[in-house]
Amino acid sequence: MTANRSTHIRLTSHPEPNTATARFPIRWGAADPKERGPVIGSVTNPGDRNVIGAHGGSYSIYRALAISARALNPVARPDLRNTHPTTEIGPYPQWSEPGRIVSLDPWGHCVGEVFRDEIAAGVDIRPTIAVTKARLNMPEIQASLGTRLRADGGILHASGDISVTKVAIDPVWYLPGVASRFGVSEGQLRRTLFEQTGGMFPELVTRPDMSVFLPPIGNITVYIVGDVAGLADPKRRISCRVHDECNGSDVFGSDICTCRPYLVHGIEECVREAQDGGVGVIAYNRKEGRALGEVTKFLVYNARKRQEGGDSAATYFERTECVAGVQDARFQQLMPDVLHWLGIRRIDRLMSMSNMKYDAITESGIEVVERVPIPPELVPPDAQVELEAKKAAGYYTPDGGPDEESLARVKGRDLERF
Ligand SMILES: [Zn+2]
């Protein structure tokens, strides 16, 4: 249990003395992983660091607590034996197409293999992606057995279990690429990130030699039903749902929105696609409450339900903007990266009505053949407010959005009747 550095604090805001050139430079977008170079966020070997921030995103704070509690040795390194992916993913041409992937490390799951010698020699290189296998069991899927879904013994089992490959992806941002997605200069983006995190990462403004940032935000989880390699095969059909986190609905079944019903519908469609020889993919992004956070989200619920006239589809977005200052902070510009990482060029069925997701996916060069709205019978009564408001604001709907008059008629449950 030795301290990181016992003598004095060494700031990382300026390069280590006598290191004119980085030992492990990152050449983002290089097709060869050795040439691209490893992502090193080591806090024990500051001289090797070639990124801003720390591994694990927001969990780096819990790592600090574990060390503070003397439960974790600060110089401990992961033993990567047997942790390698259960399924090969890539490499795909998209991994080195200019500007195609800027918010994750396409080589993040194979560092144990690619940089085996460097790791054995003591360089602190850690995976930012993990690929494993699992079974899912959800009550709605069980209830669909024998009606909407049939067990096949391989993809969907008689018990209702679904066999999946699941992938966890930590964000790794190439700052010039992220800036260009948002149409700002890299300098402006760095400065805004620095200021809005309360100066948490001074290197953003003092280390232009470091272009890669490990942001302290949530990760992406991907669930794949069927043959993972089929995602890059143009002859195979793909069904896909891109889902943004909603803890209240996804986990607890709260009925004010359509999140969990749409997610389950997406999983059902993925199972069916895989059973027909295609592949299903769910990309789950930790962007709670439109990336505004759950506290803001619950404040908005109260503002919606307490306003004069009660919760109404006509004022749905207005109430969010009053509290948060913005209607939505998810900004889907970075979202398609994970789809490109999986080698996807075409999505046959996209289970999403979001125009923002659709625009981001198609503008990034992935063809979308069909958009699949949530079946009306799956929409909880109190969620009509959200759904109708979104349709009026441009969400995809085959029958056109509601007019002003019908929008005004859509009301939610008031707080007294919770
Ligand atoms: Zn929700």
Side-chain angles (χ1 to χ4, degrees), residues 243-250 254 256-261 288-289 297 301 316 386 390:
H243 190 91
D244 291 331
E245 176 183 32
C246 172
N247 183 265
S249 171
D250 293 344
S254 165
I256 195 170
C257 53
T258 57
C259 300
R260 181 176 170 106
E288 178 57 65
K297 182 178 182 174
Y301 289 159
Y316 170 83
E386 178 204 308
K390 285 180 170 176

Side-chain angles (χ1 to χ4, degrees), residues 353 371 373 390-392 394-402:
M353 295 159 78
R371 300 162 81 178
K390 285 180 170 176
K391 282 185 193 169
Y395 261 42
Y396 170 74
T397 165
D399 48 9

Side-chain angles (χ1 to χ4, degrees), residues 247-310:
N247 183 265
S249 171
D250 293 344
V251 179
F252 289 94
S254 165
D255 75 340
I256 195 170
C257 53
T258 57
C259 300
R260 181 176 170 106
Y262 216 161
L263 179 62
V264 173
H265 174 63
I267 294 170
E268 271 196 24
E269 293 298 313
C270 285
V271 167
R272 256 195 289 269
E273 195 69 88
Q275 288 179 330
D276 291 344
V279 193
V281 55
I282 307 277
Y284 189 97
N285 298 294
R286 295 303 178 326
K287 288 181 181 174
E288 178 57 65
R290 286 190 223 143
L292 297 165
E294 207 171 36
V295 170
T296 298
K297 182 178 182 174
F298 290 5
L299 294 174
V300 170
Y301 289 159
N302 282 348
R304 275 170 55 187
K305 293 192 176 274
R306 284 199 182 114
Q307 68 187 321
E308 208 174 317

Side-chain angles (χ1 to χ4, degrees), residues 6 20 24 66 74 78 91 188 199 213 220 230 242 274 359 383:
S6 54
F24 299 101
Q188 195 60 49
F213 177 41
I220 305 168
V242 176
D359 291 347

